[in-house]
Amino acid sequence: MKVTEHIKQAKGKTLFSFEIVPPQKGQNIQELYDNINPLMEFKPPFIDVTTSREEHVYLAKGNGLLEQKITRMRPGTVGICASLKYKYNVDAIPHVLCGGFTKEETEYLLVDCHYLGLDNVMALRGDAMKHEKYFSATEGGNMYASDLVVQISDLNRGKYLHELIETPYKTDFCIGVAGYPEKHIESPSLDTDLRRLKEKVDAGADYVVTQMFFDNQKFFDFVKKARAIGITVPIIPGIKPIAIKRHLQVLPQVFKLDLPEALITEVEKCSNNEQVREVGVEWAIAQSKELVAKGVPVVHFYSMGKSDNIKAIAKEVF
Ligand code: FAD
């Protein structure tokens, strides 16, 4: 079922959902199940499965030289979605990226999703590759998430890439896109970034999931501004509990977000990461309770492959 239908059916009750990261290739899917199992009692209507960009690896050629190859460390997003859908009877949402895929590859991936009965896709640009300073489009691929939304919307109308006319073979994907309460790192301003978000919605996006934030006021202000410029689709807050002390440096650096002073003070008091995890859980519980009280449609958690802290939060909130 579509995310938007889940939200409609919930009639104002806030839903619980989360995102998982595929295991490194060669690992068993059981570990993933072991992390998902404890969260299923909170009845997530959907689970997101991320997609990782390709990476360069260097292989010794045996003559003292190295050969550059491209590999994906965590493939299998669509396969995992299919396994989750049929194992747990839950809607599993593959993240579809511009970066690393030609438009043709994207079309084939979407056709697979359609055959597998996946009703939702999350359309994202992806980040620059590790060796790049800025994102550059893959040759023959989409440049911005809005272009990808156009491609998916085209397919929803039966318009395939190299068909001259619209066919009767339409997909019916519900399309999610990313939003940034503290603006995307590359954007010159929050207002500009919001205009870009509006372009994604105008191109056919049905709902927005936000980047993590630690100060709810930033989210409330973001939603207000989004509504003011005519973005009417559901906006789902994304929450990540802080888990290690290093997050104090890493999260602002990677995601360009501010951490509230009170959270920093509490984390700095901790003498080990077990204590940091407890602080992270308490903070996320307080954030989630306020979001629920304000009537957000869903609270979406970034689990990063570990469920114990998400379970501790969900137990208090849902
Ligand atoms: P876009 O919407 O394309 O925006 C990227 C930047 O370009 C923004 O600064 C925007 O303002 C600007 N922009 C947009 N359109 C234009 C235009 N026409 N002209 C000029 N500038 C423009 N990454 C992964 O690799 N895998 C994942 O699974 C994944 N999942 C995510 C899930 C969520 C909920 C979120 C919030 C992020 C996720 N990301 C993931 C990270 C995401 O790929 C990065 O944040 C990426 O840098 C931007 O993606 P986007 O879809 O927001 O891009």
Side-chain angles (χ1 to χ4, degrees), residues 3-4 6-8 10 12-18 44-46 48 207-210 213 219 234-239 288 291-292 295-301 318:
V3 166
T4 45
H6 282 297
I7 291 172
K8 243 183 237 156
K13 183 175 174 283
T14 302
L15 302 168
F16 161 79
S17 72
F18 61 95
F46 60 90
D48 275 59
Y207 67 99
V208 176
V209 182
T210 76
F213 56 89
F219 173 79
I235 301 180
I236 297 173
I239 295 291
S288 306
L291 290 165
V292 171
V296 299
V298 183
V299 183
H300 185 71
F301 291 91
F318 294 94

Side-chain angles (χ1 to χ4, degrees), residues 50-51 95 124-127 144-145 178 180 184 193 196 200 302:
T50 64
T51 294
H95 288 193
L124 299 147
R125 189 196 70 177
D127 286 319
Y144 294 110
Y180 301 83
H184 182 255
D193 205 29
R196 300 304 184 193
K200 295 194 269 193
Y302 294 108

Side-chain angles (χ1 to χ4, degrees), residues 78 96 103-116 118 121 148 151-152 155 171 173:
V78 171
V96 181
K103 288 185 189 175
E104 284 77 6
E105 286 165 340
T106 299
E107 184 167 287
Y108 305 144
L109 186 145
L110 292 167
V111 167
D112 282 344
C113 293
H114 180 59
Y115 287 146
L116 288 166
L118 305 179
V121 290
L148 178 55
Q151 184 178 1
I152 303 167
L155 224 57
T171 57
F173 292 115

Side-chain angles (χ1 to χ4, degrees), residues 23-296:
Q24 288 232 352
K25 65 185 167 194
Q27 289 183 8
N28 197 294
I29 197 168
Q30 189 56 45
E31 200 186 321
L32 199 62
Y33 294 154
D34 291 344
N35 269 304
I36 291 174
N37 288 338
L39 299 178
M40 294 315 287
E41 68 175 277
F42 305 104
K43 302 200 173 15
F46 60 90
I47 301 173
D48 275 59
V49 184
T50 64
T51 294
S52 310
R53 278 213 67 172
E54 73 280 26
E55 294 172 32
H56 283 155
V57 287
Y58 296 89
L59 304 178
K61 285 180 77 175
N63 55 1
L65 296 175
L66 295 175
E67 188 179 7
Q68 189 190 59
K69 293 273 185 196
I70 284 189
T71 188
R72 262 175 214 283
M73 298 300 192
R74 296 174 185 272
T77 298
V78 171
I80 290 172
C81 283
S83 74
L84 298 188
K85 178 176 168 69
Y86 293 103
K87 181 175 168 64
Y88 295 109
N89 192 21
V90 67
D91 280 297
I93 307 182
H95 288 193
V96 181
L97 301 183
C98 302
F101 296 88
T102 64
K103 288 185 189 175
E104 284 77 6
E105 286 165 340
T106 299
E107 184 167 287
Y108 305 144
L109 186 145
L110 292 167
V111 167
D112 282 344
C113 293
H114 180 59
Y115 287 146
L116 288 166
L118 305 179
D119 293 329
N120 306 275
V121 290
M122 184 78 186
L124 299 147
R125 189 196 70 177
D127 286 319
M129 283 178 77
K130 282 194 181 130
H131 68 279
E132 291 175 331
K133 191 146 192 249
Y134 299 106
F135 178 89
S136 58
T138 299
E139 202 180 331
N142 288 302
M143 176 64 198
Y144 294 110
S146 53
D147 303 322
L148 178 55
V149 174
V150 168
Q151 184 178 1
I152 303 167
S153 301
D154 278 352
L155 224 57
N156 280 349
R157 287 186 290 111
K159 190 171 179 302
Y160 290 74
L161 279 178
H162 302 309
E163 302 285 336
L164 294 178
I165 51 161
E166 287 180 13
T167 73
Y169 309 110
K170 299 170 198 232
T171 57
D172 189 19
F173 292 115
C174 176
I175 307 169
V177 290
Y180 301 83
E182 297 178 63
K183 93 172 180 65
H184 182 255
I185 189 161
E186 294 161 30
S187 192
S189 72
L190 182 57
D191 286 344
T192 311
D193 205 29
L194 273 159
R195 280 205 306 278
R196 300 304 184 193
L197 179 59
K198 173 93 168 32
E199 283 167 14
K200 295 194 269 193
V201 173
D202 290 346
D206 298 291
Y207 67 99
V208 176
V209 182
T210 76
Q211 185 56 277
M212 66 187 77
F213 56 89
F214 295 87
D215 174 355
N216 283 353
Q217 196 52 49
K218 299 234 161 86
F219 173 79
F220 299 136
D221 293 346
F222 172 76
V223 173
K224 201 168 163 197
K225 282 186 160 214
R227 300 301 182 223
I229 61 163
I231 296 173
T232 56
V233 299
I235 301 180
I236 297 173
I239 295 291
K240 175 183 161 53
I242 287 228
I244 53 171
K245 217 167 203 177
R246 242 177 77 71
H247 278 157
L248 290 189
Q249 284 80 45
V250 173
L251 299 178
Q253 200 179 10
V254 174
F255 301 109
K256 176 103 186 27
L257 40 84
D258 272 347
L259 296 174
E261 278 309 315
L263 176 59
I264 298 169
T265 308
E266 285 308 307
V267 172
E268 280 178 344
K269 277 190 214 153
C270 298
S271 46
N272 57 50
N273 278 336
E274 214 171 293
Q275 291 173 3
V276 176
R277 236 174 146 71
E278 280 171 29
V279 169
V281 165
E282 288 307 318
W283 192 271
I285 289 172
Q287 270 196 285
S288 306
K289 282 187 171 169
E290 189 185 18
L291 290 165
V292 171
K294 295 273 181 179
V296 299

